[in-house]
Amino acid sequence: MTAAGRVLVVDDDESIVDFVREALEDEGYEVLTATEGAEALNLAVARPPDLILLDMRMPIVDGWEFADAYARAPGPHAPVIVMTAARDAASIATEIHAAGYLAKPFTLDDLLSLAEQYRPQAAPSS
Amino acid sequence: MSSLVTGQQQAVLERAAGVLEASAGDIVASWVRRLQAELYPQRRDLGLAELRNDGPRLVCGVAEAVRSGPRQEDARWPEPARAHARLRLAQRVDLDHLTREFQMLREEMWRALAQRLGDAAAADVFSLAETMDAALDVMAAVSVSTFGAETQQMERRLEAARAHLEAVLQQMPSGVIIAQAPSGRVQLCNEQAGRIWRQPMPALASSDEYGVWEGYHADGRRYRAEEWPLSRSMRSGEAVSREEIRIRRGDGTWGWIEASAVPLRDGRGHITGAAMVFSDVSERRQSERALRQAKEYAERLIEDANVMIVGLDTNGRIRVFNPAAEELTGYSRAEVEGRSWFDLIVPRERFPEAWEVFSRAVSEGTIPRTFDNPILTKGGEQRYVLFRNSVMRADGRVTGTISFGIDITAQRRVSAERERLLTELREVNERLVMATGHEQELAAEAERRAADAEAALRLREEFLNVAAHELKTPLTSLKGYAELTMQRVEQGRLQDPEQLHHALQTIDRQVSRLASLVAQLLDISRIEAGGLRLELQRTDLVALARGTLERMQAATSRHALSLRAPPSLEATVDPLRVEEVLYNLLDNAIRYSPKGGPVELELSLPDPGTVRIAVRDHGIGVPPAQRQRLFGRFFQASRRPAGGLGLGLYISRRIVELHGGRIWAEFPEDGGSLFVVTLPLRRGEGGEGS
């Protein structure tokens, strides 16, 4: 069941989290969710994901602070994809050394092909 | 030998004695002439006149000795000799000279005897001579033995006195040279003399040698030997006082001495020598010369200066008045010298200030360095003079003032004109400054507006970002669920009806959210355009609140929304707008309580005409620094927005104000926020009209 890889979705908008989780679970991914950075950091350390989808504007610990703390955390680091409604998504991605970005609103295809791109090679889907 | 005297010899001796007694006056006269010529050729007065009176007694004494034969014991013989010796020694004739005088007298007596006795005495001449010689020798010997000791004692005393004198002279700060008259032989020269000349003083034996001292007259002529004060005093008895002589010292340098000289005289007033006393006045001459030069220089300056120079004594009397001052005032120096400056030129009754300044200068010793005051010329004209002043002192005491003045009448006239122009300019300038100030104000205003505009732009930019975020977020899930559902349908994977329901519910919620955002944006444009209108109607606020609350509760599971209110509350309001306010307040309460928790809505009637609506949450609150902007446009409490456009409170405020109510926020000690709205129950009651 977990062969497709583990994705951590971080967004304060519950409907987006729900949609992304459902879409990825349909494709066989294991999905962890968090609605702000601190919770996400705990999850990322406790159950290291293969990919992190990160919203930037969040209460408590925002995307910038999460990226900074995650970079300094020990252990393996999953690529981070910025999910943002901001007009300068690309520059934010560069700013936090993210692997890429998904500009909101994104399509289901955008989401799935990006996840596919970071699917772990050693574990082909069942 | 006396016993051998014969009768014939006795007769010869008798005759000889007679001859001597008879011709005593002639013998003495001749003797005195010889003394003067042979023994004392250079000395005019050594009491020789007295010898003419005294001498005959001496001759008679010898005659008596001759008559009585060689009876040496006869006490009568020596008496005239003693008297003569006492007299001569008192006249400062030394013993050698005294002995010589006796010898010369004997010779005169022999000559007289040889002339008067003739050949008759020749046979007995031996005996006579023997007797006479014996008599005279005895007399001389007695004189010398009597007075010699006394003289020696006196000479010792003199010697001691001389040594004492010499010691004193050696110690003197002045040079001293003492020379003997008439030779001019230098007897004494003290050490200071050598120090002044910077060479050992030569032992000069004669005044003819004084020329070796290198001295010069003021006109540059060298002092001849006889011109030296020492020489002049010795020769003519001149007392020379403080004669300045330029000297060339032993080391070749030049100096100045001031020499005085006096003749030295014996008890009878005869010049026996001279003393010259001199001191080194080179330094004094130098400083005098420097002083004189400075004085001349100052005088020349005062004379030639083209500025007025006026010196006043402590009474204000004019002591210095230079040609420039004459020219300026019209008075000559002779006219003003000694007269009071403050009577004549700066009359104190007309210009009391100048007099006060001067009085202070005299009493306190201070004077303003510069001071300008008017003066009156001889012709009665008033001119302005700028003075530069100094207080003059001597030994610390104020002796007067000296002032340098320049006529500034013309400049003053120009300066008055300039002052007038300056005043005008100043006025113009002030107007300019005011204008400029205004300009600056305008510039500042423009700058402020620009800043405001910039801030507004930034705010607008921020708003656009937020708006984009807020619009795109619901669109993401709306679009996402739509696609996901379609895909599931296409792929035949849609099995669970619950799944479909959830998707559609989300889609519906996001559409509502978008509609609400669009409505807010429309509201804002209306508010900005002043076109927001209320549609008032009787409304039960409690029912309205409950409905809103229930809809909100449906959207969140983490927050517990509660209502406290009377059963009903009728008010004349625009129900849609009031619902919008309630929605915004509750939405904020939920958004700013990210960890969930209770949200309380309370409606009450604090007074009969007013309804109070309060929304209390226990969330993160608003930082104090940001509370002021709470109800402004585009406000969001943090850069981590909990969603929304940041327009809710702004729109709510405008709506409440349109209803004639108030809205504010409170921040309780235990955290969270309390938003309060008061509305009049009827439109126009307790609020602003529209």
Side-chain angles (χ1 to χ4, degrees):
Chain A
M1 145 105 199
T2 65
R6 184 183 292 152
V7 179
L8 171 60
V9 180
V10 191
D11 199 309
D12 63 329
D13 189 287
E14 288 179 27
S15 61
I16 291 179
V17 171
D18 286 348
F19 153 64
V20 173
R21 190 193 64 230
E22 284 185 40
L24 292 178
E25 280 175 355
D26 279 4
E27 299 303 315
Y29 294 92
E30 180 190 353
V31 179
L32 308 174
T33 64
T35 52
E36 54 86 28
E39 186 188 357
L41 203 57
N42 284 335
L43 278 173
V45 173
R47 302 172 64 188
D50 299 306
L51 179 66
I52 297 174
L53 300 178
L54 179 69
D55 182 26
M56 300 308 292
R57 293 169 72 103
M58 294 181 295
I60 307 181
V61 172
D62 67 18
W64 287 272
E65 286 163 343
F66 169 85
D68 187 44
Y70 182 64
R72 283 189 283 108
H77 288 88
V80 174
I81 299 297
V82 169
M83 285 191 303
T84 180
R87 289 183 292 175
D88 50 351
S91 64
I92 292 174
T94 310
E95 185 187 341
I96 66 160
H97 307 292
Y101 64 91
L102 272 175
K104 292 176 183 174
F106 48 84
T107 64
L108 183 63
D109 272 353
D110 291 337
L111 175 65
L112 295 181
S113 56
L114 188 115
E116 180 64 28
Q117 200 179 318
Y118 291 96
R119 184 194 287 263
Q121 301 298 317
S125 98
S126 61
Chain B
M1 188 159 67
S2 58
S3 58
L4 295 177
V5 175
T6 62
Q8 190 183 359
Q9 283 173 326
Q10 189 61 43
V12 172
L13 291 173
E14 278 294 334
R15 276 182 63 198
V19 168
L20 289 174
E21 280 170 353
S23 54
D26 292 342
I27 294 169
V28 169
S30 167
W31 175 54
V32 169
R33 273 199 300 279
R34 275 196 65 199
L35 286 180
Q36 184 66 65
E38 294 176 27
L39 195 55
Y40 307 115
Q42 306 244 345
R43 302 171 76 170
R44 289 288 132 207
D45 187 16
L46 268 177
L48 293 180
E50 285 177 48
L51 294 188
R52 288 179 190 274
N53 304 325
D54 204 47
R57 205 159 65 90
L58 182 62
V59 176
C60 289
V62 172
E64 185 61 28
V66 168
R67 184 179 286 125
S68 61
R71 289 177 299 181
Q72 297 170 15
E73 295 80 9
D74 194 328
R76 286 176 304 173
W77 298 356
E79 190 46 45
R82 277 207 195 95
H84 175 75
R86 201 175 291 119
L87 174 72
R88 293 307 280 156
L89 289 170
Q91 290 171 342
R92 295 184 179 263
V93 168
D94 63 31
L95 288 175
D96 290 344
H97 282 80
L98 184 59
T99 308
R100 183 91 182 95
E101 282 183 12
F102 278 115
Q103 284 171 353
M104 286 170 78
L105 180 60
R106 187 179 58 181
E107 283 165 21
E108 285 306 315
M109 286 192 277
W110 267 112
R111 194 179 300 152
L113 288 176
Q115 282 174 3
R116 307 285 162 78
L117 293 178
D119 296 337
D124 301 311
V125 93
F126 174 77
S127 165
L128 179 62
E130 198 178 46
T131 307
M132 264 202 45
D133 284 350
L136 280 166
D137 284 347
V138 166
M139 289 168 86
V142 166
S143 300
V144 169
S145 65
T146 305
F147 299 105
E150 209 174 297
T151 305
Q152 275 170 9
Q153 206 175 10
M154 196 158 67
E155 277 182 348
R156 271 200 302 278
R157 276 207 302 274
L158 274 174
E159 185 56 38
R162 219 169 69 91
H164 181 69
L165 177 68
E166 193 170 330
V168 169
L169 291 178
Q170 291 295 4
Q171 298 304 316
M172 273 180 73
S174 303
V176 179
I177 297 175
I178 295 175
Q180 209 173 34
S183 66
R185 190 167 69 82
V186 171
Q187 281 183 308
L188 182 142
C189 185
N190 74 350
E191 286 166 11
Q192 183 63 18
R195 279 198 286 271
I196 290 172
W197 282 90
R198 298 188 188 169
Q199 65 184 346
M201 298 303 282
L204 304 181
S206 156
S207 57
D208 296 341
E209 297 171 30
Y210 291 175
V212 300
W213 297 331
E214 207 175 335
Y216 295 86
H217 293 274
D219 60 12
R221 260 186 322 110
R222 183 159 178 175
Y223 269 75
R224 293 198 305 274
E226 68 274 18
E227 285 178 327
W228 278 96
L230 191 62
S231 209
R232 277 144 57 200
S233 288
M234 198 182 301
R235 281 163 197 273
S236 61
E238 179 189 350
V240 179
S241 174
R242 299 175 159 226
E243 187 164 302
E244 286 196 346
I245 301 167
R246 186 158 183 247
I247 61 165
R248 192 174 164 88
R249 306 187 185 102
D251 61 4
T253 59
W254 293 88
W256 287 85
I257 58 169
E258 189 182 76
S260 300
V262 285
L264 303 175
R265 294 173 193 275
D266 61 21
R268 297 167 54 91
H270 301 300
I271 294 174
T272 57
M276 180 167 82
V277 178
F278 55 97
S279 49
D280 189 339
V281 293
S282 306
E283 276 181 30
R284 197 185 75 199
R285 284 282 306 201
Q286 260 176 350
S287 47
E288 273 174 359
R289 200 167 145 214
L291 200 67
R292 198 167 52 243
Q293 279 178 345
K295 195 162 168 262
E296 278 168 13
Y297 184 67
E299 279 168 359
R300 262 245 314 283
L301 267 184
I302 289 173
E303 288 301 303
D304 297 350
N306 58 2
V307 297
M308 175 184 199
I309 301 179
V310 176
L312 304 179
D313 65 17
T314 51
N315 294 313
R317 283 192 296 257
I318 297 165
R319 295 302 175 200
V320 175
F321 199 77
N322 74 339
E326 291 180 327
E327 196 180 323
L328 184 55
T329 61
Y331 289 104
S332 71
R333 183 188 312 218
E335 282 176 298
V336 298
E337 195 144 23
R339 296 186 61 185
S340 172
W341 173 259
F342 298 99
D343 287 339
L344 205 60
I345 294 171
V346 185
R348 71 196 80 182
E349 64 276 5
R350 267 187 76 171
F351 310 114
E353 205 189 334
W355 168 247
E356 278 165 26
V357 165
F358 176 77
S359 302
R360 249 198 321 279
V362 171
S363 62
E364 295 168 17
T366 58
I367 196 165
R369 195 151 166 71
T370 59
F371 186 74
D372 69 285
N373 59 276
I375 64 159
L376 285 184
T377 66
K378 191 178 182 182
E381 193 194 348
Q382 182 169 314
R383 297 193 77 82
Y384 284 90
V385 179
L386 176 67
F387 286 104
R388 200 179 179 99
N389 311 298
S390 302
V391 172
M392 303 298 282
R393 287 185 174 78
D395 302 326
R397 217 162 39 80
V398 174
T399 57
T401 61
I402 187 106
S403 301
F404 300 76
I406 47 171
D407 185 359
I408 56 165
T409 312
Q411 287 96 314
R412 235 181 116 94
R413 224 172 274 137
V414 171
S415 128
E417 177 65 14
R418 198 177 56 187
E419 196 57 41
R420 197 180 60 72
L421 283 172
L422 269 179
T423 307
E424 258 175 44
L425 268 174
R426 230 171 267 135
E427 281 167 12
V428 170
N429 190 40
E430 265 165 33
R431 284 201 294 273
L432 267 173
V433 164
M434 279 167 64
T436 312
H438 189 59
E439 203 168 275
Q440 280 171 348
E441 256 170 48
L442 286 176
E445 174 63 21
E447 210 168 287
R448 210 155 40 234
R449 283 186 195 173
D452 284 354
E454 206 176 302
L457 273 176
R458 266 204 311 275
L459 213 52
R460 196 162 286 271
E461 182 76 6
E462 178 71 4
F463 170 71
L464 287 175
N465 276 330
V466 170
H469 185 267
E470 289 305 300
L471 290 168
K472 285 172 182 172
T473 300
L475 267 178
T476 305
S477 48
L478 173 62
K479 193 173 153 82
Y481 267 112
E483 283 180 350
L484 184 61
T485 306
M486 277 199 298
Q487 185 181 286
R488 283 171 174 167
V489 171
E490 281 165 12
Q491 295 176 356
R493 287 199 288 170
L494 188 68
Q495 289 131 7
D496 188 353
E498 188 56 37
Q499 222 177 26
L500 180 62
H501 179 256
H502 176 70
L504 292 176
Q505 204 178 30
T506 304
I507 288 168
D508 178 52
R509 209 167 48 238
Q510 300 313 320
V511 169
S512 304
R513 205 167 137 190
L514 281 169
S516 155
L517 286 168
V518 169
Q520 270 197 343
L521 286 172
L522 284 172
D523 282 350
I524 280 294
S525 356
R526 283 200 197 100
I527 288 169
E528 299 288 282
L532 186 64
R533 291 275 178 272
L534 299 181
E535 290 173 21
L536 300 174
Q537 51 185 274
R538 299 289 290 169
T539 307
D540 180 1
L541 292 177
V542 177
L544 187 70
R546 186 174 292 119
T548 311
L549 189 89
E550 280 168 1
R551 275 197 294 116
M552 298 300 287
Q553 181 66 75
T556 174
S557 53
R558 293 190 295 162
H559 303 86
L561 279 59
S562 64
L563 175 68
R564 226 165 66 166
S568 72
L569 255 174
E570 290 275 322
T572 305
V573 296
D574 183 330
L576 289 178
R577 294 301 177 195
V578 172
E579 188 184 9
E580 197 176 336
V581 172
L582 288 170
Y583 176 88
N584 285 336
L585 294 181
L586 289 170
D587 190 47
N588 278 345
I590 290 165
R591 283 180 201 280
Y592 289 89
S593 302
K595 294 192 184 283
V599 173
E600 296 130 14
L601 173 61
E602 184 184 5
L603 273 69
S604 59
L605 276 169
D607 63 74
T610 309
V611 62
R612 178 178 183 274
I613 302 167
V615 177
R616 171 86 169 98
D617 70 58
H618 300 271
I620 58 175
V622 176
Q626 301 184 349
R627 289 173 188 174
Q628 216 177 342
R629 298 198 294 120
L630 211 46
F631 295 94
R633 276 184 305 176
F634 313 133
F635 174 77
Q636 284 189 324
S638 75
R639 86 170 179 116
R640 322 182 168 104
L645 292 170
L647 287 171
L649 287 176
Y650 176 66
I651 293 168
S652 299
R653 173 166 72 90
R654 298 306 298 260
I655 291 170
V656 169
E657 284 169 359
L658 279 172
H659 280 89
R662 284 181 59 223
I663 182 169
W664 70 92
E666 292 173 15
F667 299 94
E669 293 277 314
D670 55 346
S673 311
L674 173 67
F675 283 85
V676 180
V677 173
T678 59
L679 294 171
L681 286 180
R682 275 186 192 76
R683 179 86 180 95
E685 285 175 22
E688 63 178 21
S690 83

